[in-house]
Amino acid sequence: MSRRPVNPTRRAAGNGGFPLVGAFPSKTRSSPLVSVTLVALGVFFILGYLYSGSGKKDIVSRVEGEFSGTQELQKAIPLLKKAYSDSMHKVLHVGPETCSVVSKLLNEEDTEAWGVEPYDLEDADMNCKNLVRKGIVRVADIKFPLPYRSQSFSMVIVSDALDYLSPKYMNKTLPELARVAADGIVIFTGFPGQQRARVTELSKFGRPAKMRSHSWWLRFFVQMGLDVNEAAAKKFEEASTKVSYKPSCQVFHLKSFQ
């Protein structure tokens, strides 16, 4: 037969101790119901915090997270070919990681491609070194005139390059891009709030990327005397809709200087 545990307070009282010791509930003790309630509330708040935190992180990653216009460009190459057709036969890409873009363009049928890398090539692979050695890819500061004759290319595509230029230099660079393009320019640039360069990359890019609004770019294009290519933009949008493609950055279609 089992015995119930002895209540030490009763033993103390029965042995002549102070009878009031243990007669009242200890302040350090709490009712089992209260303990369970507190634990349940704690779990509830922890789960709520984690849930809200992960949701907030997801929103930040989509709105203020890092992006790559160059990666978006590589996804959009088949759509650009549908929008511009014959105008994509001789293309100049300007921007970081241009070797990868040029290589992808060269794999497209009836497409010749060249590239301008605005920054020093670090850890370039053998394919990139070969493109540089053949003169297909050049390393050049785009704040200065491009090393090409006027209308040397049917199309000029820019990604992740203009975001690092101040308006002072952009006033010179954008007309240069238009000068070497015969049919048009396509610009891949970030949305306000997005971030392109990591802190460790600032020494390479010189300054943090500045993401400008859609309206800012449109005003700047007008200031530079460049018109939006509405027909090409519409074709690009239609082609994107058919394959459910939605770029994570802004894409502008411009006419070249006539």
Side-chain angles (χ1 to χ4, degrees):
M1 181 175 178
S2 61
R3 300 179 59 186
R4 296 176 59 184
V6 177
N7 190 330
T9 59
R10 290 186 178 181
R11 176 178 295 178
N15 291 338
F18 194 90
L20 294 179
V21 176
F24 299 99
S26 172
K27 292 183 178 180
T28 60
R29 296 182 180 180
S30 59
S31 169
L33 179 59
V34 174
S35 300
V36 172
T37 303
L38 290 175
V39 171
L41 287 174
V43 173
F44 174 79
F45 283 119
I46 291 173
L47 291 176
Y49 173 80
L50 293 176
Y51 177 80
S52 61
S54 62
K56 182 177 180 181
K57 183 177 180 181
D58 179 65
I59 294 173
V60 171
S61 67
R62 285 185 280 113
V63 177
E64 297 182 353
E66 294 184 353
F67 83 104
S68 172
T70 299
Q71 291 180 4
E72 288 298 320
L73 163 58
Q74 294 190 54
K75 296 177 186 176
I77 286 176
L79 307 176
L80 290 171
K81 293 205 71 173
K82 290 182 179 180
Y84 288 94
S85 58
D86 293 341
S87 294
M88 287 286 290
H89 70 276
K90 195 172 184 180
V91 181
L92 174 68
H93 172 256
V94 179
E97 304 174 28
T98 190
C99 288
S100 61
V101 176
V102 169
S103 297
K104 191 171 182 65
L105 286 167
L106 290 174
N107 288 330
E108 295 289 326
E109 187 177 359
D110 299 327
T111 301
E112 297 180 82
W114 289 262
V116 172
E117 169 63 57
Y119 313 102
D120 292 335
L121 288 171
E122 299 176 357
D123 302 324
D125 58 20
M126 187 59 65
N127 176 61
C128 188
K129 291 179 180 179
N130 288 336
L131 291 174
V132 173
R133 180 175 54 82
K134 294 177 181 179
I136 296 175
V137 169
R138 296 188 181 186
V139 179
D141 192 337
I142 61 175
K143 294 192 294 291
F144 299 96
L146 296 174
Y148 303 105
R149 296 179 180 179
S150 298
Q151 299 187 346
S152 295
F153 309 95
S154 55
M155 290 291 301
V156 172
I157 305 176
V158 189
S159 62
D160 296 334
L162 300 181
D163 298 325
Y164 296 97
L165 297 180
S166 65
K168 172 185 175 182
Y169 290 111
M170 198 129 46
N171 288 337
K172 301 177 181 179
T173 300
L174 194 55
E176 269 296 291
L177 298 173
R179 179 184 67 81
V180 300
D183 296 335
I185 309 166
V186 181
I187 298 174
F188 287 75
T189 183
F191 287 108
Q194 287 180 318
Q195 183 179 353
R196 177 61 182 87
R198 299 177 185 271
V199 175
T200 55
E201 294 177 336
L202 293 183
S203 59
K204 174 181 178 180
F205 296 113
R207 54 173 286 162
K210 182 176 178 60
M211 306 307 174
R212 301 169 173 95
S213 67
H214 186 85
S215 58
W216 187 95
W217 281 109
L218 293 181
R219 289 194 301 269
F220 185 74
F221 296 149
V222 171
Q223 179 183 340
M224 293 292 98
L226 292 168
D227 297 326
V228 174
N229 191 335
E230 299 288 355
K234 184 177 180 180
K235 290 180 180 179
F236 180 80
E237 184 177 355
E238 291 174 349
S240 300
T241 302
K242 288 182 180 179
V243 295
S244 301
Y245 169 72
K246 187 175 182 180
S248 63
C249 63
Q250 300 183 85
V251 183
F252 293 99
H253 305 263
L254 305 175
K255 297 178 180 178
S256 59
F257 291 140
Q258 302 299 325

